[in-house]
Amino acid sequence: MSTGGLIFTALEVEQFRRFSGTCRLDGLGPGLNLLAAPNESGKSTMLAALRALFLYKFSSKTQAIKDLAPYDGGSPCIRADFTLDGVHYNAEKRFLGRNFARLSEDGRVLENDEAEARIQSLLGLDAARRGEADGLLGALWVEQGSSFAQPELCDTARESVQSCLAVDLDEITGGADAGRILKRVQDDLNELVNGHGKPKGRYAAALEGEEAVTGQIDILETRRRTLEQDLADLGMSRRLLERENDPVRQQAEQEELERAKAKKEQLLRFATREAQAQAAVQEADRELNRHRGTQAGRTERRARLAAVRKDYLTAVEERQQAETRLREADDALTRQSATLSTLEQKRTASAAAVTQAERHVERLRLKEERDAAHHRLSRLAALSEDAEKVRATLAACRVDEKRLKAVEMAEQALHKATVALDAQATRLDIALEPDAVSRVRLNGETVRDGRLSLVDPTELHIEGVGTFRIIPAISDRVAIQEAVSRARQAFRKALDEAGCADVAATHAEMGRRRQAEQDRRLADDRLKAALEGLPAEAATSPDKGIFHLRQRVADCDAQLAQFATDATETSPVAMDEARACLAEAKKTLLMAEQAVARTRDALRAPVAEQALAQKLFVARDTETQLHKQGIERLQAEEDATQAALPDVALDEQLRRAQDVLDQAERAKERLNADRPPESEALIEATISRLEEHVKGRQEKLVRLREDFARCQAAVRAAEGDGLDEAIAACQREIDRHCTEREACERDVAVLRLLKETLTAAERETTERYLAPLTRIVQPAIEMLFPRASATLDDRFSVSGLTRGRTQEDVQRLSDGTREQIAVLVRLGFADLLRAQGRPAMLVLDDALCFSDAMRMNTVFDILTDAARRMQIIVMTCRAEQFTGLSARPLRLETRIAAG
């Protein structure tokens, strides 16, 4: 297998038509590749991506490119890996937004237009209008539904084929001299025939005259043939009349009809006898079955009577046992019910004691709850008052974080402005002698030792020495001083807003605020802790909590008022003692309830036993009565049956019925032996045929006499018309027109022969021109269509097939044959490109739809042979039909876009 030429190794699309994510076609390699996948899996989409990558410019905005956009919006991107003559390439394009083209070649990367130009150069393509590239390679990538037609080559593709064939276009037309001669011949020919080859001028006149006279002679000849036919019909009518009037034949037919009717009567009589015999057999069989049924009924009734008597004795015994069991169950139930009544009275007394103890405990609980709510109310009110005081203190603080930050920023701005001014000030270091202090003045004031920063013009006066004027070299001194002044004013304003004299006072005031905020948080935490345990609505604020607690105290007082008249109020005890009393009362009640429960559980068995015994007694009693009634009914039936027909009489009737049945069956067998051989349907058909023939004889005779008279009249009328003389005159006129027509035909034949000779020379040149392509296509044509040869036209398409002596136009062939030829033509183009060292590879998308099994296997062989020379990619949704194609399996891998 060849590894050179053009070989695709991978193809990937992203945001392309139906794929919002990434879809990759993997597994590609040299030779034959097969992608078998269901409909709508993306096969045609991948081929469209391949065409877009190499045939459309990345900046194209045509409708074809817009159709590539993903259904949910985006910019389609296509990437492909391929090798060309052993060199690896990677091509990538993006369309419709952020569009670009990129080609990687041996470590070198080309972008956009350079990449487009390089791709077209590598694949032998030419740029065309509207951002699309043309070339023969595009005709080898067959889209779905396009495999039936041979490729329509664009100009670039035609030039590619012509350059491969290496023939001068002048040879195709036969040269300029041949063209002039052809034109002269055509002009002369046009005087005799029109553009469609129809005669005109004197040629047409000769033909029209000949046709007119020929029409007349045809009419005369027709009349003569009609006369001859009338003579023949006259003879036939005479013979048919004689045959139908033959009395011997009529008598034979009548006798045959009578014999058929006699056979029918015989069949009817036999059918009657057969029906009677069958009825006798059926009647005897019914009588025998009736007696047998009576006998079987008696036997079955006697068996049932014996069984019922046995069941009756068993039921009587079981009824007595059930009655004894019922009396014992009633006694046990009475004793257990008395015990249960005594225990229920004790349980009622215990329940009253528990109720009294529970009321006492509830009164003590309400009192404790009221005291706790009152204490919690007092504490919550105190905490709320403390919190309000802390909030008032916090509200009195003017300094907060914002104002503190404003003061600090103003201070920093003042410091920064002062430092900026001081940085440009002139430094004056003064070190005076002790006795010189009074003699040195700075701007009229006494100075001391140290360093001074001078920003304004300054006068230094030294007594006894003179005055020195110092002018600092400060750029923008006025602006810097104004900045310092503004910063100082902003600082003062910030302090005034904070209500403080300086920064230290501001920080101190801020410290007091922070302490107040801490106190407020502490007070809030205490309030929150005090509100815990209250209902959600009451715990939202102290006021709601206080209201809730007051309401709770009032509710407790109201509930305690209900116990004012309770007898336990006169003997107050502690809560623990009251709960102990309640526990003791509940224990006593529990023991009483357990005793009642145990007694009731013990009562269930006697109750169930009594109910079961009652039910069993009723059932046994009912069963006994039913068995007794059954015995009486069956015995009465047996007595009545014996009185009506004793068993001996029944046996005698059964024997006689069997004898009658045997006699009827033997009579039926004897009758079957005498059955006539003919069937009733055949006899009926024979009678119907003969009756119809006899009935229609008179009508047929009338019709034959009418035909005989008509033929005689027609013959007499035609014999006096002189047909032979008229025909001879017309024949002389035909000869005159025929002479003129033959002269015109000779002229036309000569001109056409000259034209055909020139055309043949032109065709021979064209055939020599197409010979290389024909030699490539012909072996595959012979493999697929044995002993057939292909005819190619100047459009580089197979125009016809020659099989033996038959020339067949391609357009008249079946869809499957035309599709197979179209695939072979594309293989021929691919081989033609390869022979010239140009890139070629074939892609077929859902092709070969209408190929039979034998043709399909042959096409597989052709593709397998071609795959040794080039890469072929076959895409199909009919995997089962391509199992015989030994190819590299391909797969589509889809990744959904993230997000």
Side-chain angles (χ1 to χ4, degrees), residues 756-775:
E756 289 173 359
T757 302
L758 294 174
T759 303
E762 181 183 21
R763 186 184 306 111
E764 182 180 355
T765 303
T766 302
E767 289 176 355
R768 288 199 310 272
Y769 166 61
L770 295 174
L773 181 57
T774 305
R775 284 195 301 272

Side-chain angles (χ1 to χ4, degrees), residues 7 112 120 130 224 283 329 427 496 536 560 741 821 866 874:
I7 299 174
N112 298 337
Q120 293 174 5
R130 303 185 66 187
R224 183 163 64 183
E283 179 63 26
R427 303 290 187 269
D496 293 341
L560 283 170
R741 173 182 58 78
I821 291 174
V874 178

Side-chain angles (χ1 to χ4, degrees), residues 380-556:
L380 182 58
L383 290 175
S384 178
E385 184 178 355
D386 292 342
E388 289 298 328
K389 291 178 181 179
V390 172
R391 290 191 183 92
T393 302
L394 180 61
C397 294
R398 295 182 60 184
V399 178
D400 55 11
E401 292 290 346
K402 181 177 180 182
R403 287 181 175 174
L404 176 61
K405 187 175 182 180
V407 170
E408 290 176 345
M409 291 179 65
E411 183 188 22
Q412 291 175 4
L414 177 59
H415 177 71
K416 183 177 180 181
T418 305
V419 169
L421 181 61
D422 187 61
Q424 296 192 34
T426 300
R427 303 290 187 269
L428 178 62
D429 295 327
I430 300 177
L432 300 176
E433 295 294 334
D435 59 348
V437 175
S438 60
R439 292 187 294 111
V440 179
R441 296 285 187 272
L442 186 64
N443 290 333
E445 297 179 357
T446 303
V447 298
R448 299 186 180 188
D449 294 345
R451 173 175 289 185
L452 298 177
S453 295
L454 304 179
V455 294
D456 294 322
T458 305
E459 289 185 354
L460 179 64
H461 177 73
I462 303 174
E463 185 178 346
V465 177
T467 301
F468 300 91
R469 185 173 178 80
I470 302 171
I471 302 175
I474 300 176
S475 61
D476 298 331
R477 177 172 56 82
V478 176
I480 294 174
Q481 288 177 336
E482 290 178 353
V484 172
S485 177
R486 287 194 300 272
R488 185 173 289 109
Q489 291 175 3
F491 178 56
R492 187 71 259 170
K493 181 179 179 182
L495 289 174
D496 293 341
E497 290 178 351
C500 299
D502 53 22
V503 176
T506 304
H507 280 283
E509 187 66 22
M510 188 62 198
R512 287 190 293 274
R513 180 181 185 88
R514 286 170 179 160
Q515 182 61 42
E517 289 177 345
Q518 185 176 357
D519 293 342
R520 185 195 64 182
R521 286 193 294 273
L522 180 59
D524 290 342
D525 292 341
R526 289 174 178 172
L527 278 174
K528 184 177 180 181
L531 291 171
E532 287 181 357
L534 296 179
E537 184 178 357
T540 56
S541 68
D543 293 339
K544 292 183 178 180
I546 291 170
F547 177 78
H548 172 75
L549 290 173
R550 287 175 179 169
Q551 186 66 35
R552 184 58 188 155
V553 170
D555 291 343
C556 290

Side-chain angles (χ1 to χ4, degrees), residues 298 301 633-646:
R298 291 186 178 188
R301 183 172 56 249
R633 178 176 55 79
L634 290 173
Q635 187 61 50
E637 289 179 1
E638 179 66 18
D639 294 342
T641 302
Q642 290 297 327
L645 182 66

Side-chain angles (χ1 to χ4, degrees), residues 878-897:
R878 298 177 297 279
E880 65 281 356
Q881 296 184 14
F882 283 78
T883 54
L885 183 63
S886 179
R888 178 182 291 102
L890 305 181
R891 61 187 180 277
L892 284 172
E893 296 182 353
T894 304
R895 295 192 298 273
I896 304 299

